[in-house]
Amino acid sequence: MEHASLTQLEQRLMEHVKTLYPDVNALNFIKECLDTFGIQPDAPPPQPHRNPWSQEDVVLITYGDTLRRDNEPPLHSLHDFLRTRLRQCISIVHILPFFPYSSDDGFSVMDYTTVVPTLGDWEDIAAFTREFKVMGDLVINHCSSRSLWFENYKTGQTPGADYFVEAAPDTDLTQVVRPRTSPLLREVATASGVRHVWCTFSHDQIDLNFRNPQVLLEFLRILRLYLDKGVRWFRLDAVAFLWKTPGTSCINLPETHEMIRLLRLLIEHRAHDAVIITETNIPNHENLTYFGNANEAHLIYNFSLPPLLINSLVTGSCEYLKKWLMSMPPAQQGTTYLNFIASHDGVGLRPTEGLLSDWELDALVSTMQKFGGKASARTGPDGQPKFYEINISLWNALSGTVQHGPDNLGFARFLCAHAIMLALEGVPAFYIHSLIGTENDDERVEHTGQLRSINRHIWRGEDLDAVLQGEGHPPKVFAAMQKLIAIRRRQKAFHPNATQYTLHTGDALFSFWRQSQDRMQSIFAIHNVSDQPQTINLAELNLISTDQWFDLISEQIFEDRVGQIILRPYQYIWLTNVRL
């Protein structure tokens, strides 16, 4: 086959394959990739710069077994809860890894092709896809030490014999960026003698060797299966660490970006509505590179948002949050941000590098510890431990302030945080526990020995039903969240790609302006992030005098366009010229 006779898809694949695998027969390997993934060489390309999302899209992040009822598979229980209570709020469901695993609550995968029987089966996943868009995890950097692949590696059999990254113990790996404090290499007895394998995260999570093209083919088979099962949104877990080259940082390497471009190319040609999200818990300027030139991730996690927003609300100053927002480039059409402020993991602190000083970071960690949180560390370049993550439920994290400790404003503070998230450019994602204000689960931490368990509570169905009908804060949070989401979903100015400008209204008021893509609707989103009343002068906003202005939250009409508004502690207004 002459290169001139290649289809456009084959020509684009050729560029990626030659970069990643210069020693393979590129033409043969391209054919193998297409055959493995089930794509014809002349498959039509997706429409470029298309936004397969709108202001109506809201993500729910949850484990498959967060909700358990007697004599029912957890996926059934979860589906029933979403269908009956959240169908009008949620459009995308991120079901965290539902595969057989050996540790890390699913992120140490033993078998990528089956559903954990105690959760349900593939038909249960298919049931979700008939009512929601489903996001699935592609745990691509590593797999379980108890997987068939690793068992085969130890005995020298295939598949698996050459699927893992090895390094001699005397290799200089001092430049490697670490997310953990555990030793990078694990000694393993194999049929060929003692070997040392690479373990970025834990000794149960063995890093896969993507220098071997057969590993890529394995993941193409896995992705094809997920697409066949109806999964369309793909979260590439820990993808920043994918490619290893000793003597480098082994994070964000050019080959990693090349691999993401290759995967996106194939996935989009197989399913035009497919979406790739990169999970890269790294400093903000590095995270932004995963958009590529609108040819890598469709969405990137806004990892700097959680720590900066929490910091703003507990200090009463949005100085650093505002500076960050002003530095964020508008996402190109066909790309956007995934905004979240809580997840199954803790609050990552690497994304604050260059944004918060060491003193400010220490104050934040100390405050979270006073609110019942824990702090985990990683090994820094100097070999010393550095704060990596705060483990705490969002409800507890926002239970008070740095200056005064816990107070009675937690509910207002909690809603303000989510109002900000919902109003920002991007697609909002709610951790299921944030929808009900679940508190720290210290008992689960004691049981598992894992700090992240503090925010991974498992609800018994009858207990959750009782709590949502009780007198505490969960029913109030649940109702308020649904109301906020419903308002957001009607506003064209809250489209993930609508225009956004940061406003200068002082450090206690976090404010920005959104405008719909047809320029018909404007929203001034103004949030008091302090525990003191704050005044906003409407004259500063330059409201168009011919428009009628209306607060979407209070439903108050503002006839006086140059008057003042006094915002209570943590009160917010979404001032718009179009009532939807």
Side-chain angles (χ1 to χ4, degrees):
M1 185 191 300
E2 296 294 331
H3 288 198
S5 65
L6 296 180
T7 66
Q8 182 184 43
L9 173 58
E10 289 171 322
Q11 289 174 356
R12 293 178 65 186
L13 282 171
M14 178 71 70
E15 298 172 10
H16 300 311
V17 169
K18 283 188 171 181
T19 299
L20 292 167
Y21 304 113
D23 297 329
V24 305
N25 183 308
L27 292 176
N28 289 345
F29 188 65
I30 288 170
K31 182 179 185 306
E32 196 169 3
C33 287
L34 294 174
D35 289 346
T36 299
F37 209 50
I39 302 178
Q40 294 299 316
D42 58 353
Q47 179 184 345
H49 301 291
R50 181 179 63 91
N51 295 325
W53 45 72
S54 75
Q55 66 274 10
E56 295 186 14
D57 281 311
V58 177
V59 179
L60 179 74
I61 305 167
T62 180
Y63 279 103
D65 65 349
T66 293
L67 181 63
R68 293 179 179 176
R69 300 187 188 277
D70 292 338
N71 304 314
E72 184 177 52
L75 286 172
H76 283 204
S77 305
L78 177 65
H79 189 194
D80 181 66
F81 181 77
L82 298 190
R83 184 174 58 244
T84 58
R85 290 186 178 265
L86 292 172
R87 187 66 188 89
Q88 301 307 312
C89 298
I90 301 300
S91 60
I92 303 158
V93 182
H94 176 197
I95 307 176
L96 291 156
F98 44 79
F99 318 105
Y101 67 95
S102 55
S103 65
D104 199 15
D105 283 353
F107 287 92
S108 185
V109 180
M110 296 166 61
D111 181 358
Y112 289 85
T113 64
T114 61
V115 177
V116 178
T118 54
L119 284 181
D121 54 30
W122 277 115
E123 176 51 37
D124 295 312
I125 300 298
F128 280 96
T129 68
R130 290 190 283 269
E131 295 185 66
F132 305 94
K133 302 170 190 174
V134 172
M135 184 192 304
D137 285 280
L138 190 69
V139 185
I140 195 169
N141 178 72
H142 50 259
C143 71
S144 169
S145 65
R146 291 170 53 192
S147 64
L148 174 64
W149 292 347
F150 196 64
E151 291 298 324
N152 284 348
Y153 163 80
K154 290 188 289 186
T155 58
Q157 301 179 68
T158 57
D162 48 3
Y163 279 16
F164 299 93
V165 180
E166 296 181 345
D170 59 351
T171 305
D172 183 1
L173 301 175
T174 54
Q175 294 187 53
V176 176
V177 171
R178 298 300 318 286
R180 300 289 186 271
T181 55
S182 58
L184 179 61
L185 300 182
R186 170 186 165 179
E187 183 178 295
V188 181
T190 75
S192 302
V194 173
R195 295 289 185 269
H196 293 82
V197 292
W198 197 292
C199 302
T200 296
F201 289 90
S202 80
H203 282 190
D204 185 46
Q205 295 165 297
I206 317 298
D207 285 39
L208 291 152
N209 180 19
F210 273 87
R211 289 181 180 275
N212 178 356
Q214 293 304 312
V215 174
L216 171 59
L217 292 175
E218 288 282 11
F219 276 88
L220 292 184
R221 295 184 190 99
I222 292 164
L223 279 166
R224 180 176 180 177
L225 171 67
Y226 297 173
L227 285 165
D228 289 344
K229 298 298 185 182
V231 177
R232 287 295 181 271
W233 286 48
F234 296 94
R235 176 184 182 272
L236 304 188
D237 177 65
V239 70
F241 299 93
L242 185 72
W243 199 272
K244 281 79 177 175
T245 300
T248 73
S249 65
C250 297
I251 189 171
N252 309 323
L253 296 187
E255 293 87 349
T256 294
H257 288 278
E258 195 74 36
M259 185 67 71
I260 295 170
R261 290 191 284 270
L262 186 154
L263 291 174
R264 172 166 172 167
L265 179 64
L266 289 171
I267 289 172
E268 280 192 326
H269 276 75
R270 185 73 156 64
H272 289 184
D273 59 343
V275 171
I276 287 178
I277 306 99
T278 50
E279 190 268 332
T280 45
N281 190 357
I282 51 180
N284 190 59
H285 67 281
E286 298 175 19
N287 192 31
L288 289 169
T289 65
Y290 282 87
F291 277 140
N293 186 21
N295 61 352
E296 293 186 32
H298 294 90
L299 293 93
I300 62 172
Y301 276 78
N302 234 340
F303 273 108
S304 295
L305 178 61
L308 291 179
L309 180 51
I310 292 171
N311 186 69
S312 294
L313 289 163
V314 299
T315 63
S317 171
C318 63
E319 176 187 358
Y320 302 103
L321 183 66
K322 183 167 60 176
K323 285 181 179 178
W324 163 77
L325 190 66
M326 292 172 62
S327 73
M328 295 295 282
Q332 292 189 54
Q333 296 297 314
T335 67
T336 194
Y337 299 100
L338 188 72
N339 294 323
F340 74 108
I341 46 179
S343 75
H344 60 291
D345 288 339
V347 180
L349 297 178
R350 285 214 68 206
T352 68
E353 292 178 14
L355 300 172
L356 291 180
S357 69
D358 289 344
W359 179 88
E360 289 153 340
L361 188 60
D362 288 345
L364 177 61
V365 172
S366 175
T367 301
M368 294 300 100
Q369 289 172 328
K370 291 175 183 176
F371 295 167
K374 318 291 182 182
S376 58
R378 68 181 183 90
T379 301
D382 57 359
Q384 298 300 309
K386 294 176 67 70
F387 286 128
Y388 177 73
E389 182 178 270
I390 300 169
N391 302 110
I392 191 170
S393 79
L394 188 62
W395 178 262
N396 289 87
L398 297 175
S399 61
T401 65
V402 170
Q403 297 89 344
H404 304 120
D407 57 27
N408 61 357
L409 294 171
F411 178 74
R413 196 178 289 113
F414 195 75
L415 292 189
C416 183
H418 287 92
I420 290 171
M421 180 185 77
L422 283 165
L424 285 169
E425 174 189 359
V427 175
F430 284 82
Y431 188 36
I432 191 169
H433 291 299
S434 294
L435 288 175
I436 50 182
T438 305
E439 299 179 56
N440 288 342
D441 191 340
D442 296 312
E443 184 178 335
R444 187 165 170 79
V445 173
E446 187 175 345
H447 175 72
T448 66
Q450 301 297 318
L451 297 184
R452 285 178 169 176
S453 295
I454 199 170
N455 197 27
R456 296 179 179 180
H457 182 72
I458 294 177
W459 281 101
R460 290 193 58 78
E462 57 269 29
D463 293 340
L464 181 56
D465 291 340
V467 164
L468 291 178
Q469 294 169 12
E471 298 297 326
H473 70 265
K476 297 175 185 176
V477 169
F478 196 55
M481 290 298 184
Q482 292 180 79
K483 181 180 179 181
L484 267 177
I485 293 170
I487 294 171
R488 179 233 158 69
R489 296 183 80 185
R490 295 194 297 269
Q491 315 309 317
K492 290 185 178 181
F494 284 156
H495 185 284
N497 294 91
T499 299
Q500 175 174 285
Y501 283 110
T502 309
L503 303 177
H504 298 281
T505 52
D507 288 344
L509 293 173
F510 183 53
S511 310
F512 46 92
W513 174 72
R514 303 293 310 277
Q515 184 184 56
S516 60
Q517 293 175 307
D518 62 9
R519 299 187 178 182
M520 297 299 292
Q521 185 186 33
S522 289
I523 297 178
F524 290 88
I526 304 168
H527 313 82
N528 181 0
V529 299
S530 79
D531 61 359
Q532 299 297 315
Q534 300 294 327
T535 300
I536 177 76
N537 294 308
L538 291 179
E540 298 177 24
L541 303 180
N542 294 319
L543 301 179
I544 298 173
S545 60
T546 56
D547 289 347
Q548 184 179 67
W549 293 91
F550 170 83
D551 176 23
L552 293 165
I553 305 300
S554 67
E555 301 186 355
Q556 179 182 352
I557 295 173
F558 289 88
E559 301 285 357
D560 184 358
R561 292 160 179 76
V562 295
Q564 292 184 333
I565 301 174
I566 298 176
L567 296 182
R568 299 184 305 275
Y570 307 109
Q571 184 184 355
Y572 45 89
I573 59 173
W574 290 347
L575 201 59
T576 185
N577 61 337
V578 177
R579 301 176 68 169
L580 296 173

